[in-house]
Amino acid sequence: MAITLLGHPVAHDIQEKIRHRIEFLRKNTQRVPGLAVILVGENPASQAYVGMKKKACAAVGITSFEHLLPSTATEIELESLIHSLNQDPSVNGILLQLPLPKGLNEASLLQRISPDKDVDGFHPLHIGNLLLGLPSLKPCTPYGVCELLKYYNIPTQGKHVVVLGRSNIVGKPLAAMLIQREFNATVTICHSHTENLAEITQQGDILISAIGKPHFVTEDMVKDRAIVIDVGINRVPATPGPGFILVGDVDYDSVEPKVSAITPVPKGVGPMTIAMLMKNTLTAFEETL
Ligand code: GUN
């Protein structure tokens, strides 16, 4: 039977350390970190994530500022909001929740966030530093995956890590992290145009899926005794209904018996993303002291 790599106890440990550090800093500086979250439109998954981020802020002692804008918000309005948050000394972190409604230029808006406050680590400056192995704020989901691997003592040195998905949020930064000397992994990134996909994924000592397709990774795609990390959080209609359930990219029931360890969905990578957001916000705050 595979080991279940639960994320929530790890995230809880990390958040406890952050809470203590913030309490210490509050006593010594009379200041606490602040995180501004911008949500445009009414995407239910994004609304749920923003709710979880707000709850985590309250648990660790970060002040959260919510900016909820209608889907009709213009790029100029968003630019002006980001500009004012960049100037606001009570805001140490700014998070623009993705995806944005159609018509808004994600890349250009993300670049408006001051790198000092870019707790998502999406700014080209951070991505560049990450690739160069220099200090940077790291994108929260891949950072969380790396911390999860470390916590469970999963060896990465010389191992073949196959990453499914090449997004700017997960796949690309994750590959950039795992090839650094800290991890020394050999990384292959696969995507929607990869030929002979199963042949490649079967070679992964560690297979990490971040493609957002429910039950995509099946038993025939994984190596015997592999470590499987499921980054997917897909909302699918519950059967029987009503409502939705969350499922990963991995067809858990068929894959679990074949592998040595696997993350569940939910309670796997998801809580780690939020813990790393708290960590980045604390880091950005400490830089201002
Ligand atoms: N949407 C899905 N994941 C993320 C994330 O890590 N950050 C932001 N800003 N939006 C997201």
Side-chain angles (χ1 to χ4, degrees):
M1 239 187 58
I3 295 167
T4 310
L5 304 171
L6 287 171
H8 68 99
V10 189
H12 185 261
D13 267 20
I14 294 169
Q15 287 186 189
E16 273 304 285
K17 290 195 183 104
I18 294 170
R19 188 173 68 78
H20 284 120
R21 178 74 184 150
I22 290 174
E23 183 55 16
F24 171 84
L25 292 171
R26 190 187 61 77
K27 285 190 179 134
N28 286 277
T29 69
Q30 286 74 53
R31 290 181 55 202
V32 293
L35 172 65
V37 176
I38 307 170
L39 174 60
V40 190
E42 287 173 4
N43 177 322
S46 293
Q47 286 173 328
Y49 296 144
V50 168
M52 286 187 258
K53 288 166 187 174
K54 193 172 163 186
K55 207 168 140 197
C57 282
V60 300
I62 292 174
T63 307
S64 62
F65 306 97
E66 237 182 7
H67 295 270
L68 307 177
L69 281 75
S71 58
T72 50
T74 64
E75 210 152 305
I76 294 180
E77 282 167 339
L78 277 161
E79 281 172 11
S80 140
L81 173 60
I82 291 169
H83 179 73
S84 72
L85 295 172
N86 281 340
Q87 310 296 319
D88 184 343
S90 62
V91 172
N92 304 105
I94 303 170
L95 183 141
L96 178 61
Q97 184 65 36
L98 304 179
L100 292 175
K102 284 198 176 60
L104 295 169
N105 186 334
E106 250 170 43
S108 131
L109 286 166
L110 288 173
Q111 289 192 34
R112 299 264 172 182
I113 298 173
S114 163
D116 301 343
K117 299 192 179 189
D118 174 26
V119 286
D120 256 327
F122 292 162
H123 194 281
L125 183 78
H126 291 306
I127 298 294
N129 281 336
L130 185 66
L131 200 57
L132 296 171
L134 296 171
S136 63
L137 288 168
K138 298 181 182 72
C140 303
T141 300
Y143 191 10
V145 169
C146 290
E147 290 301 306
L148 197 68
L149 293 173
K150 282 183 2 194
Y151 181 91
Y152 285 102
N153 292 316
I154 294 167
T156 51
Q157 173 142 317
K159 300 295 180 193
H160 188 184
V161 179
V162 177
V163 177
L164 265 174
R166 57 171 158 185
S167 70
N168 293 341
I169 297 182
V170 185
K172 285 184 207 167
L174 182 56
M177 287 178 204
L178 292 170
I179 56 170
Q180 302 300 326
R181 293 193 178 275
E182 185 184 0
F183 296 100
N184 281 331
T186 302
V187 180
T188 301
I189 304 187
C190 302
H191 50 78
S192 49
H193 292 258
T194 299
E195 291 182 1
N196 306 321
L197 182 66
E199 221 171 85
I200 298 170
T201 57
Q202 274 165 15
Q203 293 170 34
D205 301 308
I206 302 175
L207 177 61
I208 306 179
S209 183
I211 49 166
K213 291 195 175 146
H215 306 297
F216 183 86
V217 177
T218 45
E219 171 269 333
D220 54 304
M221 295 170 71
V222 298
K223 184 176 179 171
D224 263 333
R225 311 295 299 152
I227 312 279
V228 176
I229 309 289
D230 192 348
V231 179
I233 303 178
N234 308 294
R235 279 164 64 92
V236 299
T239 46
F244 290 87
I245 55 163
L246 295 180
V247 298
D249 290 348
V250 177
D251 184 33
Y252 191 93
D253 292 344
S254 79
V255 168
E256 188 269 346
K258 190 173 179 182
V259 300
S260 66
I262 183 166
T263 59
V265 177
K267 297 195 173 165
V269 174
M272 293 301 294
T273 297
I274 294 181
M276 302 333 285
L277 174 65
M278 300 299 110
K279 182 155 188 185
N280 279 347
T281 306
L282 172 58
T283 303
F285 171 65
E286 292 202 66
E287 290 292 324
T288 68
L289 297 178

